[in-house]
Amino acid sequence: MSVIQYLSIAATIFCFCSLLSFFFKIVRLGKPQDLSERSGDTGKGILYANTVAMMPQNKESAYLHIPSYASGMLFHIGLFSSLLIYILSFFPFFNHWISGSDRIHLIIPVFLIVTCTCGYLLLIKRACSKDLKPLSNPDDFISNAFVSTFQLTTILYLIMPTQNVIVTLYYIVCILMFLYMPFGKLRHVVYYFAARYHLGFFYGWRNVWPLKENE
């Protein structure tokens, strides 16, 4: 492995350990305590919070912004796909595959072009929208830019895996993103699950979630 790859591994370990510390902090806070009388199933409430409740028609205003909601979903799928590719990039079999004459792997960057475009469009919308811009802070723009650029460099890496400049650029972007992640909104990768758990527990306990079919 090259020096830049070792540096990216170090950044990844730093990021993972930092996020893990956030996770343990949440765990130490303990299970939510509710003094009201239990009338529902918290397990079903938690499951509902992470599935049906995330659908646009069940959110406060997402159903009014379906294109943005769909773009956000694709953007996140592109991120997790790119993270998987990053992990695979350290394995010889994967690099041999994307460097070979069989170009079927180019289907992946075609998909990532879509997800990456969604990310940049959402970034532009945040910067230009009279409603979103006043609610945004620098971290919102930086986090989006990092993830969008991470997906962009992943595309370049998949297309030109033997170009040293591209490979170096790819791992530099990875390093910067992983170093920034524990300090910005990207750490919601941990807090999201805790928030949905607590939300599902709260409404499941009160038999509000799952919603009844006639509601």
Side-chain angles (χ1 to χ4, degrees), residues 9 12 48 50 69-70 85 116 147 162-163 182 188 197 200 213:
I9 291 175
T12 304
Y48 183 88
N50 286 279
Y69 177 87
I85 292 169
C116 175
V147 175
T162 59
Q163 297 294 320
H188 76 263
Y197 171 79
E213 290 186 3

Side-chain angles (χ1 to χ4, degrees), residues 31-50 193-210:
K31 188 177 181 180
Q33 297 296 317
D34 201 318
L35 301 180
S36 64
E37 183 178 352
R38 179 173 176 170
S39 59
D41 189 325
T42 56
K44 291 182 179 180
I46 294 167
L47 178 63
Y48 183 88
N50 286 279
F193 296 101
R196 301 310 294 185
Y197 171 79
H198 283 222
L199 196 64
F201 185 95
F202 181 87
Y203 287 113
W205 183 279
R206 287 163 173 74
N207 202 28
V208 176
W209 282 357

Side-chain angles (χ1 to χ4, degrees), residues 92-172:
F93 79 89
F94 182 76
N95 289 294
H96 176 74
W97 179 58
I98 63 176
S99 300
S101 57
D102 183 1
R103 312 307 289 177
I104 191 172
H105 73 271
L106 292 179
I107 296 174
I108 303 173
V110 169
F111 171 71
L112 290 179
I113 288 173
V114 176
T115 66
C116 175
T117 301
C118 287
Y120 282 119
L121 288 176
L122 290 172
L123 181 62
I124 293 171
K125 179 180 179 180
R126 182 179 291 277
C128 298
S129 172
K130 64 179 181 179
D131 296 320
L132 290 177
K133 189 175 181 179
L135 300 175
S136 303
N137 57 50
D139 183 31
D140 292 313
F141 296 99
I142 295 172
S143 296
N144 184 305
F146 264 133
V147 175
S148 299
T149 305
F150 172 52
Q151 294 183 40
L152 176 60
T153 53
T154 300
I155 294 168
L156 296 176
Y157 174 74
L158 290 170
I159 295 175
M160 296 176 283
T162 59
Q163 297 294 320
N164 290 333
V165 174
I166 296 299
V167 174
T168 300
L169 175 64
Y170 171 66
Y171 284 110
I172 287 176

